[in-house]
Amino acid sequence: MSSARSHVSMQNKYDRVVLLVDMDCFFCQVEEKQHPEYRNRPLAVVQYNPWRGGGIIAVNYAARAKGVTRHMRGDEAKDLCPEIVLCQVPNIREKADTSKYRDAGKEVANVLQRFTQLLERASVDEAYLDITETVNHRMQQMQSGAFALQPQELVNTFAVGYPSIGDYVNKITNRFANPYMDDERYQMSYDQNDLPAVRQSDIRLLIGASVAGEVRAAVKKETGYECSAGIAHNKILAKLAAGMNKPNKQTILPLTETASLFDSLPVGKIKGLGGKFGEVVCETLGIKFMGQVVKFSEVDLQRKFDEKNGTWLFNISRGIDLEAVTPRFYSKSIGCCKKFPGRNNITGLKTLQHWLGELSSEINDRLEKDFIENNRRAKHMVVQYVQDIDGEEVASSRSTALRDYDQESIVRLSLDLIKANTKTFLRPGSESALNNAIKFLGISVGKFETVSSGQNKLQEMFANQAAKKRRVSGDEPGQLPKVEMEKKQKQTDEFKMKSFFANYLQGAKKEDAKADGISANPLAAAAGAPNKNFVEEYKHKLHAAVRTEGTVLTSTPAEFKESFFSQYLKQQKKTGQQGSVTSREDSLDVQELAEELDAIEADNSKDFEEDTEEETELTSDTHMSKPEGQSSDAGQEQDPNTLNDSTGNDLYVETGIVPPTLTEDELKPSTSKRKFDEIESSVSNYKECYVEFAVPNLRTDILPTIKCDQCGANIPDEVKSLQTHRDHHFAQELSRTLRSTEREERTQSRQKISLKPTPPKKSKKTAGSGSSSYSTAPPSNSITKFFRAKPTQEQAPSDPQMNQCPECKAFIKCVDMPEHLDYHVARNLQRELNQQDLRTRTAALNKEKISPVQPKKQSQKKLNSTISASSSGTKTIAQFFSQSN
DNA sequence: CTTGGGACGCTCT
DNA sequence: TAGAGCGTC
C-alpha cells in the first residue's frame, strides 16, 4: 500500500463528475438539532474558555447576519447580537470533546454512502463523492425515458458564469439543438481529443446537480442537517464551487467557465494554495489570480517550484485536477491533543501523568468504539509534545509499535517515549519536577489492522446473525444478482449492528466518564470470551432506561425493544432452541443474556406497537441514569438521534428485510430510505418512486388570499393557485417571446450551409418550442451538422465507419455516435422536462419559498418567479428556467 | 491565554 | 521508516 494518492489519467480529465458536500455551519446545526428551542435563533458555538465568553468556532447564518464571525469572543458576539445563543462545546476530561460532532458527521456520511461507493470523507463535515457512474447511468436512462431531470432539484442550484440556472439549462438545450454551437470556441481552447468530453460536460454536470439535489434532500430528510454542494469534474473545482453559494445551495462549475472564473480568482482560494505555498507562488510569479498562472510554461513552473508542484500548478490553473476520489469512510488514525499555554505548562511528573492519562483515556474509548465498528486494531502509536527548552518551543514526536493495549499501557508507552527522548527529563535533584516544561501533548494511534474473524467472537456473532437474516429473507424480488444482494445485505446488517453497539457503548462511556477512572476495556478481552462488560453495560443501561421511563411510558423504550441487540437476542433464542447454531458457546451466552433481559422487561411486556415511522426530529431524549459523582456541566447525553438511527426498524426498512418479529403491516414503506433503495434496485419503476419522493405534501387549506401584482385579482395565497393564475399572464408573454426566438433561429439557419439532411425520427407535438422547431421544421443546418462531423466527406450507409443509430435508425459515423446519442438524450431531457406537471414545479416553488433568501441573489428570485409563471406541458426547459425578456 | 483548538491527512527528508 | 512540518477545516 503506497501512500501516494491515486490519480485518473489525463485522457479522463473531464470524464468524472465529482461532488463535494459541505455541511453548513455544522456544529451550529448539531446544536440546533439537539436543542430545537434554539432553532431560528442566532447561535454560535464556543469552546469553553472563561476568558471573554469563550472562543467562537462556529456561527449560524442568523448570527452571521448580525455580524458575528469566528475568531470572535463570546462577549463580542453578545455585543453585536444580544439575543444570540452561545452553545459550549462539551468538556470531558477537562478538555473539549468533539465526539458529538464526529458522530453527527458520521450520521451524515452514512446517508452519503448510499449514493456511491466512492465516498471520501475529507473532514468531519465534508465529503467528496465520485458520482460518475450514476451520472453515466442516468444519461443512458434518459434515453430510455427511465430517468428525467426534475426541475425542482435545480431550484437551489447555481451555475458559475450564468445569471441563473435557467440560463445554464437554456444554453444546454440550445446546444443540443445545435451541437456544434460552441465548437469554434471549444476547438480553440481544448485539445481535439477532449472535444467529445467537453461537449458532454454541461449536461453531465447538470445531471450531477440533480444527483446532488437528491443527496442533499436525503441528508436533510434523514438527519435534519442542511448542506451545500459543489459539482464539477474534479475535487478541486467541486470544492471551490461548493463555497460559492451557501448555505443550503449547490453550485455547478461548468468546465468552460473555469478560465474566466480563474481570471479574477485569488490564488489562495484554491485548496492547497491557501497557505504558505500559495504565498510563495504569488510572490515568485508576481501574480495574484489563478488565471495568471497559465502564462507560465510547465517547465518554467517546475523550475520555479519543483517538478511535482510545477505540474500540479500547471494543471490546476487550467482547471485540471487528476486526483481520484479515494474511498475512505473511517479515519486512518485517531488522535487527541491539548495545549498547555503559559501558566498551564506542565512542570511536574504527576501532572504529566495525569494528562497523559486523560488523553489515553479518550484514545482508548475511541479505539473501543472503532474496534466494534470497524473490526480493526491500531498497531502504532505516536506521542507528540512541545517542550520549553531554554525558552524555545521545541516540538518532537516519537512513535512505537502497539500490541495489546489499554489505557494504562498507552500512558506508560507515551511516558516512556518522552522520557527516552529527553536529555534531562527530571530536574536534577528532584524526583518529580520536569526539567523542561511541556506546552503541548498529543497522542495518536494508527496503522490499523483488521482483526481476523477467527479470533473475534463479537465479529462471529455479527456474521452469524447476518447469515441467519439472509436465510430469513430468502426470496427478495431484487434486480441485482443474488450474490450481490446478499453481499450488500450483509454489509449493511453488520454495519448497522456494529453502529448500534458502538453508539450504545459510547453513551455508556460518557456517563461513566468522570465517575470511574479507568473503564473496562473490550479490546483487552477481545481475544477471549464474548464481550462481557459490553453486555453488562447493556443490561445496566436497559435497567436504567426501564427505571427512569417505566413510570411514564409503561413500556420498554423503543430504542431497546427495537435495537439490533434486542432483535439479535430474540433471534438467537429462537435458533438456539432449534439447536442449529454455528457457534454453540456464543449462543449459550447470548441465550442466558436474553433470558435475563426478558426478566428485566417482564413488567412492561404489553403494547409492542406504534411509532415505527417516527421522525428523527421527534424522537424524545433517552434519559440515562447519571452516576452520582458526575458534575452537571460535564454531563453529556447520548444524542437521541444517533441512537435512533440504529434502531431495528431503520435497518429493516432500509434493507427491505422482513424482520422476524415484525409483521408486514408494521413496515411502512414510505420513508425516503426505502424509496431510494427502490430507485437504485429497480430502474423500471424509478420514475414513480422518484416523483413520489420528490413531491412534498401540500397544505392547501387555511390560506389567506393575495393580490395579483399584474391584474390585481385576489388569488388564494397558495402556490398552486397563484401559479395557475400567473400562468395566464405568462401565456400571453410567452407567445411573444417564442415568436421572436423562433425568428432568430430561422435567421441563423438560413445563414449556414445546409448539408445532407437526416432529420430525427419523429416530429414533436410540443407546440411553440424554439428548440423543437428544429425537428418539426424542414432539415436545418444545425441538426444536419450534428450528424456530420466533417461536412465535406459524404458517407454512404454501407461505409464500415458508419453505424445505425438504434434510436432513429439514421446512419452515423462511429466517432460521432456518442454525440449523436447525446442528441437523443437531449430530446428526452427536453420532453421530460416539458412534461413536468404543475405539481412538481409547485413543490419546488414551495420549497424555495421557505429557504432563506440571499439578498444578493437576484437571479434566484428571477428563476423562482419564472418557474411560477410558466404553465404546464407546452414549453421547453429553457422557457421553464430562463428569464423571459 | 493568541486572530480557535483540535484532528486529520499528506509530504518531504 | 521515523519524524518534522504543512494545510485544511
mmCIF file of all heavy atoms in Angstrom, chain A residues 474-500:
data_model
loop_
_atom_site.group_PDB
_atom_site.id
_atom_site.type_symbol
_atom_site.label_atom_id
_atom_site.label_comp_id
_atom_site.label_asym_id
_atom_site.label_seq_id
_atom_site.Cartn_x
_atom_site.Cartn_y
_atom_site.Cartn_z
ATOM 1 N N GLY A 474 -35.017 -14.980 2.255
ATOM 2 C CA GLY A 474 -34.664 -15.747 1.067
ATOM 3 C C GLY A 474 -35.116 -15.191 -0.261
ATOM 4 O O GLY A 474 -34.299 -15.018 -1.164
ATOM 5 N N ASP A 475 -36.387 -14.859 -0.384
ATOM 6 C CA ASP A 475 -36.871 -14.511 -1.721
ATOM 7 C C ASP A 475 -37.215 -13.031 -1.832
ATOM 8 O O ASP A 475 -38.371 -12.654 -1.867
ATOM 9 C CB ASP A 475 -38.081 -15.358 -2.087
ATOM 10 C CG ASP A 475 -39.044 -15.485 -0.925
ATOM 11 O OD1 ASP A 475 -38.830 -14.769 0.097
ATOM 12 O OD2 ASP A 475 -39.987 -16.239 -1.009
ATOM 13 N N GLU A 476 -36.215 -12.222 -1.876
ATOM 14 C CA GLU A 476 -36.432 -10.820 -2.193
ATOM 15 C C GLU A 476 -36.519 -10.656 -3.701
ATOM 16 O O GLU A 476 -35.723 -11.222 -4.439
ATOM 17 C CB GLU A 476 -35.263 -9.966 -1.680
ATOM 18 C CG GLU A 476 -35.419 -9.494 -0.259
ATOM 19 C CD GLU A 476 -36.588 -8.541 -0.100
ATOM 20 O OE1 GLU A 476 -36.573 -7.462 -0.694
ATOM 21 O OE2 GLU A 476 -37.519 -8.922 0.622
ATOM 22 N N PRO A 477 -37.478 -9.888 -4.148
ATOM 23 C CA PRO A 477 -37.608 -9.700 -5.594
ATOM 24 C C PRO A 477 -36.636 -8.662 -6.125
ATOM 25 O O PRO A 477 -37.020 -7.746 -6.801
ATOM 26 C CB PRO A 477 -39.052 -9.200 -5.728
ATOM 27 C CG PRO A 477 -39.300 -8.467 -4.446
ATOM 28 C CD PRO A 477 -38.467 -9.146 -3.400
ATOM 29 N N GLY A 478 -35.407 -8.804 -5.782
ATOM 30 C CA GLY A 478 -34.418 -7.807 -6.186
ATOM 31 C C GLY A 478 -33.986 -7.962 -7.630
ATOM 32 O O GLY A 478 -34.132 -9.012 -8.236
ATOM 33 N N GLN A 479 -33.452 -6.904 -8.147
ATOM 34 C CA GLN A 479 -32.976 -6.927 -9.522
ATOM 35 C C GLN A 479 -31.538 -7.401 -9.591
ATOM 36 O O GLN A 479 -31.094 -7.959 -10.576
ATOM 37 C CB GLN A 479 -33.056 -5.524 -10.130
ATOM 38 C CG GLN A 479 -34.411 -4.868 -10.005
ATOM 39 C CD GLN A 479 -35.380 -5.394 -11.027
ATOM 40 O OE1 GLN A 479 -35.784 -6.554 -10.978
ATOM 41 N NE2 GLN A 479 -35.746 -4.570 -11.971
ATOM 42 N N LEU A 480 -30.836 -7.149 -8.516
ATOM 43 C CA LEU A 480 -29.429 -7.499 -8.507
ATOM 44 C C LEU A 480 -29.255 -9.012 -8.476
ATOM 45 O O LEU A 480 -30.123 -9.736 -8.016
ATOM 46 C CB LEU A 480 -28.757 -6.919 -7.259
ATOM 47 C CG LEU A 480 -28.558 -5.407 -7.231
ATOM 48 C CD1 LEU A 480 -28.154 -4.972 -5.845
ATOM 49 C CD2 LEU A 480 -27.499 -5.009 -8.234
ATOM 50 N N PRO A 481 -28.124 -9.454 -9.000
ATOM 51 C CA PRO A 481 -27.798 -10.863 -8.818
ATOM 52 C C PRO A 481 -27.822 -11.200 -7.328
ATOM 53 O O PRO A 481 -27.476 -10.379 -6.487
ATOM 54 C CB PRO A 481 -26.373 -10.963 -9.369
ATOM 55 C CG PRO A 481 -26.200 -9.799 -10.252
ATOM 56 C CD PRO A 481 -27.132 -8.734 -9.761
ATOM 57 N N LYS A 482 -28.238 -12.385 -7.028
ATOM 58 C CA LYS A 482 -28.464 -12.723 -5.631
ATOM 59 C C LYS A 482 -27.207 -12.562 -4.768
ATOM 60 O O LYS A 482 -27.268 -12.069 -3.650
ATOM 61 C CB LYS A 482 -28.960 -14.166 -5.532
ATOM 62 C CG LYS A 482 -29.796 -14.378 -4.281
ATOM 63 C CD LYS A 482 -30.670 -15.606 -4.406
ATOM 64 C CE LYS A 482 -31.664 -15.646 -3.259
ATOM 65 N NZ LYS A 482 -32.611 -16.731 -3.398
ATOM 66 N N VAL A 483 -26.120 -12.970 -5.334
ATOM 67 C CA VAL A 483 -24.876 -12.888 -4.568
ATOM 68 C C VAL A 483 -24.586 -11.442 -4.179
ATOM 69 O O VAL A 483 -24.239 -11.134 -3.046
ATOM 70 C CB VAL A 483 -23.688 -13.436 -5.392
ATOM 71 C CG1 VAL A 483 -22.447 -13.498 -4.521
ATOM 72 C CG2 VAL A 483 -24.021 -14.806 -5.937
ATOM 73 N N GLU A 484 -24.805 -10.581 -5.134
ATOM 74 C CA GLU A 484 -24.551 -9.179 -4.872
ATOM 75 C C GLU A 484 -25.476 -8.651 -3.791
ATOM 76 O O GLU A 484 -25.064 -7.954 -2.880
ATOM 77 C CB GLU A 484 -24.752 -8.367 -6.154
ATOM 78 C CG GLU A 484 -23.584 -8.422 -7.094
ATOM 79 C CD GLU A 484 -22.309 -7.955 -6.430
ATOM 80 O OE1 GLU A 484 -22.286 -6.826 -5.905
ATOM 81 O OE2 GLU A 484 -21.347 -8.744 -6.409
ATOM 82 N N MET A 485 -26.726 -9.020 -3.914
ATOM 83 C CA MET A 485 -27.706 -8.599 -2.924
ATOM 84 C C MET A 485 -27.262 -9.024 -1.534
ATOM 85 O O MET A 485 -27.267 -8.238 -0.596
ATOM 86 C CB MET A 485 -29.061 -9.249 -3.228
ATOM 87 C CG MET A 485 -29.831 -8.589 -4.336
ATOM 88 S SD MET A 485 -30.595 -7.076 -3.759
ATOM 89 C CE MET A 485 -31.930 -7.769 -2.768
ATOM 90 N N GLU A 486 -26.887 -10.266 -1.444
ATOM 91 C CA GLU A 486 -26.536 -10.802 -0.134
ATOM 92 C C GLU A 486 -25.309 -10.105 0.429
ATOM 93 O O GLU A 486 -25.224 -9.831 1.615
ATOM 94 C CB GLU A 486 -26.289 -12.304 -0.237
ATOM 95 C CG GLU A 486 -27.575 -13.066 -0.467
ATOM 96 C CD GLU A 486 -27.354 -14.542 -0.555
ATOM 97 O OE1 GLU A 486 -26.188 -14.965 -0.569
ATOM 98 O OE2 GLU A 486 -28.358 -15.260 -0.605
ATOM 99 N N LYS A 487 -24.416 -9.827 -0.459
ATOM 100 C CA LYS A 487 -23.207 -9.161 -0.020
ATOM 101 C C LYS A 487 -23.543 -7.792 0.570
ATOM 102 O O LYS A 487 -23.153 -7.462 1.677
ATOM 103 C CB LYS A 487 -22.268 -8.987 -1.226
ATOM 104 C CG LYS A 487 -20.806 -8.869 -0.835
ATOM 105 C CD LYS A 487 -19.942 -8.949 -2.077
ATOM 106 C CE LYS A 487 -18.955 -7.819 -2.115
ATOM 107 N NZ LYS A 487 -18.403 -7.593 -3.436
ATOM 108 N N LYS A 488 -24.328 -7.065 -0.182
ATOM 109 C CA LYS A 488 -24.736 -5.755 0.299
ATOM 110 C C LYS A 488 -25.474 -5.875 1.629
ATOM 111 O O LYS A 488 -25.245 -5.139 2.553
ATOM 112 C CB LYS A 488 -25.645 -5.079 -0.728
ATOM 113 C CG LYS A 488 -24.878 -4.270 -1.739
ATOM 114 C CD LYS A 488 -25.813 -3.387 -2.531
ATOM 115 C CE LYS A 488 -25.028 -2.521 -3.484
ATOM 116 N NZ LYS A 488 -25.850 -1.881 -4.484
ATOM 117 N N GLN A 489 -26.369 -6.837 1.640
ATOM 118 C CA GLN A 489 -27.175 -7.073 2.805
ATOM 119 C C GLN A 489 -26.312 -7.268 4.031
ATOM 120 O O GLN A 489 -26.501 -6.647 5.060
ATOM 121 C CB GLN A 489 -27.997 -8.353 2.572
ATOM 122 C CG GLN A 489 -29.265 -8.349 3.350
ATOM 123 C CD GLN A 489 -30.047 -7.104 2.996
ATOM 124 O OE1 GLN A 489 -30.603 -7.008 1.919
ATOM 125 N NE2 GLN A 489 -30.050 -6.140 3.891
ATOM 126 N N LYS A 490 -25.379 -8.136 3.855
ATOM 127 C CA LYS A 490 -24.532 -8.485 4.986
ATOM 128 C C LYS A 490 -23.779 -7.262 5.492
ATOM 129 O O LYS A 490 -23.743 -6.997 6.682
ATOM 130 C CB LYS A 490 -23.552 -9.579 4.556
ATOM 131 C CG LYS A 490 -22.674 -10.048 5.688
ATOM 132 C CD LYS A 490 -21.810 -11.223 5.246
ATOM 133 C CE LYS A 490 -20.858 -11.597 6.362
ATOM 134 N NZ LYS A 490 -19.499 -11.749 5.945
ATOM 135 N N GLN A 491 -23.247 -6.534 4.547
ATOM 136 C CA GLN A 491 -22.500 -5.346 4.936
ATOM 137 C C GLN A 491 -23.374 -4.393 5.736
ATOM 138 O O GLN A 491 -23.002 -3.906 6.778
ATOM 139 C CB GLN A 491 -21.958 -4.628 3.700
ATOM 140 C CG GLN A 491 -20.794 -5.353 3.073
ATOM 141 C CD GLN A 491 -20.498 -4.823 1.691
ATOM 142 O OE1 GLN A 491 -21.245 -4.026 1.159
ATOM 143 N NE2 GLN A 491 -19.410 -5.294 1.116
ATOM 144 N N THR A 492 -24.569 -4.179 5.213
ATOM 145 C CA THR A 492 -25.440 -3.227 5.876
ATOM 146 C C THR A 492 -25.817 -3.711 7.272
ATOM 147 O O THR A 492 -25.754 -2.971 8.235
ATOM 148 C CB THR A 492 -26.719 -3.017 5.051
ATOM 149 O OG1 THR A 492 -26.346 -2.963 3.692
ATOM 150 C CG2 THR A 492 -27.394 -1.753 5.462
ATOM 151 N N ASP A 493 -26.218 -4.956 7.341
ATOM 152 C CA ASP A 493 -26.621 -5.503 8.632
ATOM 153 C C ASP A 493 -25.509 -5.384 9.648
ATOM 154 O O ASP A 493 -25.699 -4.876 10.754
ATOM 155 C CB ASP A 493 -26.997 -6.972 8.488
ATOM 156 C CG ASP A 493 -28.327 -7.125 7.794
ATOM 157 O OD1 ASP A 493 -28.877 -6.089 7.372
ATOM 158 O OD2 ASP A 493 -28.800 -8.235 7.684
ATOM 159 N N GLU A 494 -24.373 -5.839 9.235
ATOM 160 C CA GLU A 494 -23.261 -5.820 10.162
ATOM 161 C C GLU A 494 -22.940 -4.397 10.571
ATOM 162 O O GLU A 494 -22.742 -4.104 11.733
ATOM 163 C CB GLU A 494 -22.024 -6.465 9.527
ATOM 164 C CG GLU A 494 -22.133 -7.946 9.471
ATOM 165 C CD GLU A 494 -20.804 -8.566 9.055
ATOM 166 O OE1 GLU A 494 -19.775 -7.896 9.203
ATOM 167 O OE2 GLU A 494 -20.829 -9.685 8.593
ATOM 168 N N PHE A 495 -22.946 -3.573 9.576
ATOM 169 C CA PHE A 495 -22.607 -2.203 9.871
ATOM 170 C C PHE A 495 -23.582 -1.596 10.862
ATOM 171 O O PHE A 495 -23.203 -0.967 11.834
ATOM 172 C CB PHE A 495 -22.590 -1.382 8.585
ATOM 173 C CG PHE A 495 -22.356 0.064 8.843
ATOM 174 C CD1 PHE A 495 -21.082 0.505 9.110
ATOM 175 C CD2 PHE A 495 -23.410 0.948 8.869
ATOM 176 C CE1 PHE A 495 -20.859 1.832 9.386
ATOM 177 C CE2 PHE A 495 -23.189 2.271 9.149
ATOM 178 C CZ PHE A 495 -21.916 2.702 9.405
ATOM 179 N N LYS A 496 -24.833 -1.813 10.593
ATOM 180 C CA LYS A 496 -25.849 -1.232 11.455
ATOM 181 C C LYS A 496 -25.745 -1.783 12.874
ATOM 182 O O LYS A 496 -25.861 -1.055 13.846
ATOM 183 C CB LYS A 496 -27.249 -1.548 10.888
ATOM 184 C CG LYS A 496 -27.624 -0.640 9.752
ATOM 185 C CD LYS A 496 -27.945 0.738 10.283
ATOM 186 C CE LYS A 496 -28.639 1.568 9.216
ATOM 187 N NZ LYS A 496 -29.075 2.861 9.760
ATOM 188 N N MET A 497 -25.526 -3.050 12.951
ATOM 189 C CA MET A 497 -25.426 -3.632 14.273
ATOM 190 C C MET A 497 -24.223 -3.078 15.017
ATOM 191 O O MET A 497 -24.294 -2.718 16.170
ATOM 192 C CB MET A 497 -25.334 -5.147 14.164
ATOM 193 C CG MET A 497 -26.681 -5.772 13.889
ATOM 194 S SD MET A 497 -26.671 -7.518 14.161
ATOM 195 C CE MET A 497 -25.784 -8.045 12.745
ATOM 196 N N LYS A 498 -23.144 -3.049 14.287
ATOM 197 C CA LYS A 498 -21.938 -2.530 14.926
ATOM 198 C C LYS A 498 -22.154 -1.091 15.366
ATOM 199 O O LYS A 498 -21.723 -0.686 16.427
ATOM 200 C CB LYS A 498 -20.760 -2.611 13.961
ATOM 201 C CG LYS A 498 -20.278 -4.023 13.749
ATOM 202 C CD LYS A 498 -19.205 -4.013 12.697
ATOM 203 C CE LYS A 498 -18.851 -5.408 12.256
ATOM 204 N NZ LYS A 498 -17.939 -5.354 11.124
ATOM 205 N N SER A 499 -22.813 -0.349 14.519
ATOM 206 C CA SER A 499 -23.073 1.034 14.865
ATOM 207 C C SER A 499 -23.866 1.126 16.151
ATOM 208 O O SER A 499 -23.577 1.934 17.013
ATOM 209 C CB SER A 499 -23.872 1.715 13.755
ATOM 210 O OG SER A 499 -23.027 2.018 12.715
ATOM 211 N N PHE A 500 -24.838 0.269 16.223
ATOM 212 C CA PHE A 500 -25.650 0.322 17.423
ATOM 213 C C PHE A 500 -24.808 0.050 18.650
ATOM 214 O O PHE A 500 -24.846 0.770 19.632
ATOM 215 C CB PHE A 500 -26.793 -0.682 17.371
ATOM 216 C CG PHE A 500 -27.528 -0.729 18.670
ATOM 217 C CD1 PHE A 500 -28.451 0.247 18.963
ATOM 218 C CD2 PHE A 500 -27.238 -1.689 19.612
ATOM 219 C CE1 PHE A 500 -29.095 0.250 20.189
ATOM 220 C CE2 PHE A 500 -27.878 -1.682 20.838
ATOM 221 C CZ PHE A 500 -28.811 -0.715 21.129
#
